[in-house]
């Protein structure tokens, strides 16, 4: 596609529920990244995919967070048993090669109530 | 570890004023440096970048020079417009240790330009 597409753009969920956030990167971009943007913490790296594998998951805050990527394309970030501190904007980005300038999506604003 | 420190906002300017947003960094290796911009309701966009010392990145009238001796990458624009109102993020990627894919961001600086 022309840009990085994320869905949903907004998600309100009850504490304890599971959520799935979707990212559709630019066609042909082999690298995909998830970041989290919150008021207190700024922008935090979560996970990096090269193709379908994730060589760096070091930023995932807990084992409630997981992500996968299939077909070298779409990625899903799953948060299980959501907590209020998970409320943030989750940003996905892709690049043709490692860090030749990411293209970010518009993000998913997650609110846990 | 790597870190980026940028001036705290908010910054409020009148149209046609000169803009400087300071950014300094700490890195274990030899980083690439970036400025990203986030307009209201949108994702981050790459504004400019520099990959080695003394390089100057430029785009849309914005400039930043990679200063290794002062570990700085200050963003400047000679004459801001209302449409430049946004949040600006300084970032680095450290090419040592094989983690050049990862961006470390500053906290962001909110710029508001008034007519």
């Amino acid at each position: 596609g022309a840009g990085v597409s994320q869905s949903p753009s907004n998600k309100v969920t009850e504490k304890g529920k599971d959520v799935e956030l979707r990212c559709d990167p630019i066609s042909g971009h082999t690298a995909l990244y998830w970041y989290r943007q919150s008021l207190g913490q700024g922008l935090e790296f979560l996970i990096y995919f090269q193709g379908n594998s994730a060589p760096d998951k070091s930023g995932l805050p807990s084992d409630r967070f997981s992500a996968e990527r299939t077909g070298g394309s779409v990625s899903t970030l799953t948060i299980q048993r959501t907590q209020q501190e998970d409320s943030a904007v989750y940003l996905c980005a892709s690049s043709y090669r490692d860090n030749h300038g990411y293209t970010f999506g518009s993000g998913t604003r997650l609110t846990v109530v | 570890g790597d870190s980026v420190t940028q001036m705290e906002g908010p910054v409020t300017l009148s149209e046609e004023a000169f803009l400087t947003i300071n950014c300094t960094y700490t890195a274990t290796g030899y980083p690439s440096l970036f400025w990203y911009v986030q307009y209201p309701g949108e994702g981050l966009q790459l504004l400019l970048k520099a990959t080695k010392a003394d390089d100057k990145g430029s785009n849309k009238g914005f400039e930043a020079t990679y200063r290794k001796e002062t570990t700085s990458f200050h963003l400047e624009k000679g004459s801001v417009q209302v449409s430049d109102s946004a949040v600006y993020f300084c970032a680095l990627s450290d090419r040592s240790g094989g983690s050049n894919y990862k961006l470390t961001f500053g906290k962001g600086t909110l710029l508001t330009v008034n007519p």
Side-chain angles (χ1 to χ4, degrees):
Chain A
V4 177
S5 177
Q6 292 189 245
S7 60
S9 55
N10 279 286
K11 176 74 176 176
V12 179
T13 190
E14 291 181 353
K15 179 180 171 181
K17 301 279 192 188
D18 297 352
V19 295
E20 285 189 352
L21 312 180
R22 177 189 167 102
C23 173
D24 202 340
I26 292 174
S27 178
H29 279 193
T30 59
L32 185 146
Y33 319 81
W34 285 96
Y35 282 77
R36 181 167 70 173
Q37 185 177 24
S38 54
L39 276 175
Q41 302 298 322
L43 275 150
E44 305 170 276
F45 167 83
L46 296 179
I47 187 169
Y48 156 62
F49 285 93
Q50 182 58 248
N52 289 338
S53 64
D56 189 346
K57 309 178 185 179
S58 63
L60 295 178
S62 74
D63 58 8
R64 295 187 295 105
F65 288 72
S66 62
E68 65 174 11
R69 188 179 185 195
T70 55
S73 181
V74 172
S75 176
T76 303
L77 177 68
T78 301
I79 309 174
Q80 295 179 309
R81 305 181 302 282
T82 51
Q83 304 295 313
Q84 287 187 327
E85 62 263 27
D86 300 334
S87 296
V89 177
Y90 290 82
L91 292 169
C92 176
S94 68
S95 67
Y96 175 59
R97 291 184 297 194
D98 290 348
N99 203 14
H100 280 245
Y102 295 0
T103 300
F104 280 88
S106 297
T108 294
R109 181 175 296 278
L110 175 67
T111 304
V112 182
V113 298
Chain B
D2 298 339
S3 66
V4 175
T5 302
Q6 62 182 104
M7 64 187 286
E8 293 190 17
V11 174
T12 303
L13 296 173
S14 297
E15 208 164 22
E16 299 184 3
F18 184 85
L19 168 71
T20 300
I21 301 177
N22 290 337
C23 171
T24 57
Y25 67 88
T26 302
T28 53
Y30 192 172
S32 295
L33 303 173
F34 306 83
W35 277 100
Y36 281 82
V37 59
Q38 187 175 33
Y39 298 103
E42 299 184 15
L44 276 76
Q45 302 175 24
L46 178 64
L47 181 60
L48 52 85
K49 68 179 182 181
T51 57
K52 62 182 187 298
D54 300 325
D55 266 2
K56 178 186 284 188
S58 62
N59 186 23
K60 299 181 181 179
F62 291 90
E63 293 184 340
T65 301
Y66 190 144
R67 300 287 187 202
K68 192 163 184 274
E69 64 277 11
T70 54
T71 61
S72 64
F73 193 54
H74 305 322
L75 182 68
E76 295 182 336
K77 186 174 185 181
S79 176
V80 294
Q81 305 300 311
V82 172
S83 58
D84 293 328
S85 298
V87 181
Y88 292 81
F89 293 90
C90 186
L92 69 81
S93 70
D94 196 337
R95 285 170 282 179
S96 66
S99 61
N100 62 327
Y101 51 84
K102 187 185 298 187
L103 284 175
T104 299
F105 286 91
K107 297 266 190 214
T109 302
L110 173 62
L111 170 66
T112 302
V113 180
N114 294 319

